[in-house]
Amino acid sequence: MTGNAPPAVVAEGLTKRFGAFTAVDGLDLTIATGEVVGFIGPNGAGKSTTIRMLCGLLRPSAGRASVAGFDVGRQPEAVRAHIGYMSQKFSLYGDLTCRENLRFFGGIYRVPRPVMEERIRFAIAMAGLEGREDRLVSTLAGGWKQRLALGCAILHRPPVLFLDEPTSGVEPEARRRFWDLIHTLAAGGVTILVSTHYMDEAEYCNRIALIDAGRLVAMGSPGELRGLDLGGALFELGGVAAGAALAALREMPGVIEAAIFGDRLHVLVRDAATAERMGPFLKRRAVEPGALRPIAPSLEDVFVRLVARRSEEEEGGGA
Amino acid sequence: MSPRRLFAMAFKEMLQIWRDPHSLAIALLMPMMQMVLLGYGISLDIRGVPLCIYDQERSQTSRALVQRFVASDWFTGVRVLDSDRAVREVMDNGDCAGVVTIPVDFSRVFTTTGSGPVQAVFDATDSNTTNIAIGYAQGVVALTTADFEMRWAQAHGLLPRTVGAVDFQPRVWFNEGLESSYFIIPGVVAVILALVGAQLTSLTISREWERGTMEQLISTPVTALEVMLGKIVPYFLIGLFDAIFCLLAAIFWFHVPFRGSIVLLALTTALFTVVVLGIGYLLSVRIRSQLGASQIALILTLLPTTMLSGYTFPIDQMPAPIRAVSLLVYARYYVTILRAVFLKGSSALDLLGPILALALYALAIVWIAARAFRKSLD
Ligand SMILES: Nc1ncnc2c1ncn2[C@@H]1O[C@H](COP(=O)(O)OP(=O)(O)OP(=O)(O)O)[C@@H](O)[C@H]1O
Ligand SMILES: [Mg+2]
């Protein structure tokens, strides 16, 4: 995140329409060189569509974007030469071995011959695939596949990496290993935009872009996002029948929102007075009130609230 | 275009072909099987069928007919019989596949009515041989009567078409023009290559879409031209292998005489292979499912190449509109070239027309195919 380097990724009013449907709607995004930005949003939010436009795979319907200094609409080939991409769906050749896949992408990216073998060795070591170099990729487990795909995507040492849900369906241990790799690459100056569904992974990012229904809802570091004003105070309610309590609290005046987190409830209330009335209110509704305590919002609380607020606004605006 | 990327593409494609023994077997064995089946069906006809003729009339006209049978390639050891007893004898002994009987009043009936009955008895134990023998007998009679007809018509001041024919109609199922199999086998090679070639490449691009590998591939700097050439080159080698096998089979197995230049044969075969592979590739780009692309490839190549290439159905006997359509059927040019190179030993100069047509076709297909593939998910 050096101050005067030009940003690695810039999007201005980036829009993608599929027929009448707008999948990405006027997205503005700036990613500094060397940043790790997490792309978070519910299913269908437009994460993959945005990444595909940034890779030059989809043509923007409106707006513009540049990656590594090249315009994605006008210089897609220059963009492609400077990026590494892992698509959401695994897309190495399953009927080729690990080494053959690496050789193939090395050739396609024209990795200089003198460094080719060394880079392949590096990628194999990085993926932890020593001893499995000559196995068919289709026989590998998920974590290995994903690390190999990352290895293929960085063979040409691209300055910018787009990773679309690289850890989905991968077991937790392998997910951690993958994030270690991401941070190693970022430490080497690579700019990385990585989409994910896992909230814990959001914490590993320098900044997070929260996207919903094609719009950027919030952008900031995990700390900044946690500090956002949610419009009330957050309490955790434990030791209750979560379902019944949830139904009751949703009808209580002064409660902005209630959501189940594991066996507890997170309740956002307008003020402290509402929190005090909560116990008696639940009793009147024949729900045993549990232990209530104020908590600091987690990233997930923030995301849930921001997304809910956005759709409330939309409904309010539409009515 | 980068040779490095092209090599990476082609090498990857070859590995994938190699790893898929099932399709590889189809790519290599299908043409062999088709060559044997199609070629054999036709080559059966050349093997001389033993035939006897009982000429009851012994007139000038009937002798002309007998002479036709004797001179024909299709029958061997044509024996002329002279009694009903001899007919029964040869049939019982199985000495002959059949006996053709020319009745006593053959010439008289023919000259008065313009149509003469010829009777034929065939041994139906080997129905296949019988069918073929009947077909040939019909063919011989037809050819002869065409002469008779002409003379008869001239004598009567009529146009040939308006006169009736002998009962026998020239109907041989797979050899309508009654050409010798030498004439047909080179055409079979062309048809097989056209069918197999389009099938081979029709799967290449659609497979990458179906397996999801395309998205990764087009995110790289590889160019559309490199993708196309990288995909076609390995199949070009397979196509050439198939071609060489079929051509060798034509020469050494089916004994089609080869009188022309090997270089000319090789070059035109390569050109034709480019055309058929290019067509399959183009379909693969346009139709993103493997099944769809291969089905369309089959439909688009099967009918035109079998019906309109002139390999069995002579083009000059087709109605004018169909003849015009056949100009678009690339296989017809290769059929023409193969026949001429094989049987006449024609030179490139003799074959300038079809060679240019084929080259034009190859250029057009490659040009269109190179532009058809877009590195985009839109
Ligand atoms: N080619 C397309 N044609 C039409 N609609 C599309 C196309 N691609 C995506 N969409 C739609 O656009 C929306 C955004 O899709 P996108 O794949 O970008 O979402 P996402 O945030 O990546 O979701 P997920 O987390 O499920 O991967 C979805 O509603 C999807 O159905
Ligand atoms: Mg997605």
Side-chain angles (χ1 to χ4, degrees):
Chain A
M1 276 188 274
T2 41
N4 46 10
V9 177
V10 181
E12 286 165 6
L14 197 61
T15 301
K16 183 66 190 182
R17 283 184 284 269
F18 295 112
F21 175 72
T22 306
V24 176
D25 194 358
L27 199 80
D28 296 318
L29 191 71
T30 305
I31 303 177
T33 297
E35 253 192 311
V36 176
V37 171
F39 214 20
I40 299 217
N43 285 330
K47 304 181 293 291
S48 298
T49 306
T50 304
I51 290 178
R52 284 166 169 169
M53 282 193 282
L54 293 175
C55 294
L57 299 178
L58 283 175
R59 179 169 278 278
S61 312
R64 53 168 295 276
S66 71
V67 171
F70 302 101
D71 187 277
V72 297
R74 284 186 318 239
Q75 303 159 284
E77 288 307 329
V79 168
R80 289 187 182 113
H82 291 85
I83 61 164
Y85 172 54
M86 266 178 76
S87 60
Q88 181 166 352
K89 186 172 178 292
F90 178 74
S91 54
L92 297 186
Y93 296 95
D95 48 355
L96 264 52
T97 67
C98 302
R99 199 194 295 279
E100 286 162 352
N101 268 287
L102 287 163
R103 284 240 170 80
F104 171 66
F105 283 103
I108 289 291
Y109 282 118
R110 291 204 281 180
V111 172
R113 286 194 196 279
V115 293
M116 179 83 149
E117 275 312 309
E118 178 205 318
R119 296 235 178 128
I120 288 180
R121 261 201 310 280
F122 174 85
I124 297 235
M126 183 187 91
L129 281 165
E130 295 101 333
R132 291 183 173 79
E133 295 93 334
D134 297 317
R135 269 182 52 180
L136 290 185
V137 164
S138 58
T139 66
L140 295 177
W144 273 309
K145 275 186 184 164
Q146 294 304 85
R147 288 195 297 272
L148 179 66
L150 181 64
C152 287
I154 61 161
L155 276 175
H156 55 307
R157 300 293 179 260
V160 184
L161 264 181
F162 294 102
L163 311 177
D164 197 356
E165 297 197 26
T167 55
S168 78
V170 172
E171 52 174 296
E173 170 58 28
R175 274 171 50 200
R176 260 196 301 283
R177 271 192 77 169
F178 198 91
W179 274 92
D180 288 342
L181 294 178
I182 290 181
H183 284 120
T184 312
L185 291 169
V190 179
T191 308
I192 301 167
L193 178 62
V194 50
S195 75
T196 179
H197 270 149
Y198 298 106
M199 288 302 153
D200 56 329
E201 294 184 349
E203 299 279 357
Y204 305 148
C205 303
N206 298 121
R207 283 196 302 155
I208 295 158
L210 179 64
I211 173 177
D212 181 41
R215 302 231 180 89
L216 189 66
V217 177
M219 174 118 196
S221 69
E224 282 165 358
L225 292 184
R226 272 194 301 269
L228 282 182
D229 178 17
L230 299 183
L234 190 68
F235 286 83
E236 184 189 70
L237 184 63
V240 288
L246 183 71
L249 288 174
R250 287 214 162 135
E251 286 165 19
M252 183 182 169
V255 170
I256 300 170
E257 195 170 63
I260 294 180
F261 275 64
D263 61 345
R264 289 143 196 272
L265 288 184
H266 285 194
V267 191
L268 185 66
V269 294
R270 202 172 292 145
D271 44 33
T274 309
E276 278 162 28
R277 289 201 307 275
M278 206 181 292
F281 179 85
L282 284 174
K283 259 192 198 128
R284 278 201 302 281
R285 294 292 179 102
V287 179
E288 185 58 37
L292 190 70
R293 65 182 184 95
I295 54 165
S298 68
L299 274 179
E300 189 160 8
D301 292 313
V302 175
F303 295 153
V304 168
R305 183 60 209 139
L306 289 178
V307 167
R309 191 154 74 190
R310 209 202 58 79
S311 49
E312 279 160 20
E313 275 164 14
E314 194 140 274
E315 276 158 27
Chain B
M1 203 185 64
S2 146
R4 179 94 188 275
R5 281 199 297 253
L6 175 57
F7 177 80
M9 230 12 246
F11 186 70
K12 179 221 85 170
E13 205 63 27
M14 271 191 236
L15 279 176
Q16 288 188 301
I17 296 170
W18 183 246
R19 294 277 152 76
D20 185 4
H22 184 67
S23 340
L24 185 64
I26 290 182
L28 297 180
L29 293 180
M30 271 283 276
M32 297 191 187
M33 272 168 52
Q34 285 173 333
M35 191 69 205
V36 170
L37 288 177
L38 282 174
Y40 217 82
I42 287 152
S43 84
L44 268 180
D45 344 2
I46 35 172
R47 308 278 166 260
V49 179
L51 186 79
C52 296
I53 302 179
Y54 180 22
D55 181 1
Q56 298 178 332
E57 188 183 57
R58 292 166 185 270
S59 71
Q60 199 191 342
T61 315
S62 71
R63 283 211 190 88
L65 185 55
V66 169
Q67 208 40 51
R68 284 281 187 157
F69 275 102
V70 174
S72 140
D73 292 344
W74 302 307
F75 301 105
T76 48
V78 175
R79 268 169 63 194
V80 182
L81 308 175
D82 50 10
S83 69
D84 287 328
R85 202 167 52 85
V87 170
R88 266 196 307 279
E89 215 164 84
V90 292
M91 288 304 283
D92 289 346
N93 297 347
D95 293 345
C96 280
V99 178
V100 171
T101 306
I102 304 171
V104 219
D105 54 354
F106 175 71
S107 315
R108 194 184 49 79
V109 175
F110 189 87
T111 32
T112 47
T113 65
S115 161
V118 174
Q119 193 207 5
V121 183
F122 278 93
D123 177 357
T125 349
D126 179 355
S127 65
N128 199 27
T129 309
T130 306
N131 282 336
I132 292 162
I134 292 175
Y136 283 141
Q138 288 171 334
V140 170
V141 171
L143 289 174
T144 316
T145 51
D147 287 353
F148 291 170
E149 242 177 67
M150 193 68 108
R151 268 181 252 136
W152 187 84
Q154 278 162 354
H156 289 74
L158 292 172
L159 289 173
R161 273 292 152 217
T162 60
V163 295
V166 173
D167 294 335
F168 262 138
Q169 287 298 307
R171 282 273 148 203
V172 181
W173 183 55
F174 33 73
N175 189 356
E176 189 157 4
L178 273 169
E179 307 290 3
S180 109
S181 71
Y182 293 166
F183 211 62
I184 308 263
I185 295 277
V188 172
V189 176
V191 168
I192 291 174
L193 283 184
L195 290 182
V196 174
Q199 285 296 311
L200 288 177
T201 39
S202 71
L203 303 175
T204 54
I205 293 288
S206 40
R207 188 190 303 131
E208 301 243 11
W209 283 116
E210 274 183 10
R211 294 189 185 167
T213 51
M214 189 52 95
E215 184 161 350
Q216 195 71 44
L217 185 61
I218 62 178
S219 78
T220 73
V222 74
T223 67
L225 190 63
E226 287 154 2
V227 171
M228 180 182 83
L229 293 179
K231 293 267 176 195
I232 288 188
V233 164
Y235 289 103
F236 183 71
L237 299 180
I238 293 181
L240 280 192
F241 175 90
D242 290 340
I244 290 170
F245 174 86
C246 290
L247 291 169
L248 288 180
I251 297 171
F252 293 107
W253 184 297
F254 296 111
H255 305 290
V256 180
F258 183 78
R259 304 190 173 109
S261 139
I262 300 241
V263 176
L264 183 59
L265 181 70
L267 290 180
T268 49
T269 300
L271 207 53
F272 184 65
T273 309
V274 168
V275 173
V276 298
L277 293 178
I279 284 176
Y281 173 82
L282 195 55
L283 288 171
S284 193
V285 170
R286 285 289 153 83
I287 302 158
R288 287 190 179 182
S289 94
Q290 293 189 73
L291 188 64
S294 74
Q295 300 260 296
I296 302 265
L298 186 65
I299 293 166
L300 275 187
T301 48
L302 186 65
L303 277 181
T305 49
T306 51
M307 304 302 288
L308 300 177
S309 69
Y311 108 98
T312 49
F313 306 99
I315 290 174
D316 51 15
Q317 284 169 29
M318 293 172 185
I322 294 182
R323 217 160 45 222
V325 171
S326 83
L327 288 175
L328 290 174
V329 179
Y330 44 91
R332 72 168 279 183
Y333 302 110
Y334 187 55
V335 169
T336 308
I337 293 171
L338 279 184
R339 268 181 196 155
V341 171
F342 261 86
L343 304 176
K344 289 193 244 164
S346 302
S347 70
L349 214 57
D350 303 330
L351 292 168
L352 208 54
I355 290 177
L356 281 182
L358 213 50
L360 210 64
Y361 230 110
L363 274 179
I365 292 288
V366 168
W367 194 81
I368 296 170
R371 268 150 198 78
F373 180 61
R374 293 252 165 274
K375 285 175 67 187
S376 164
L377 297 172
D378 278 304

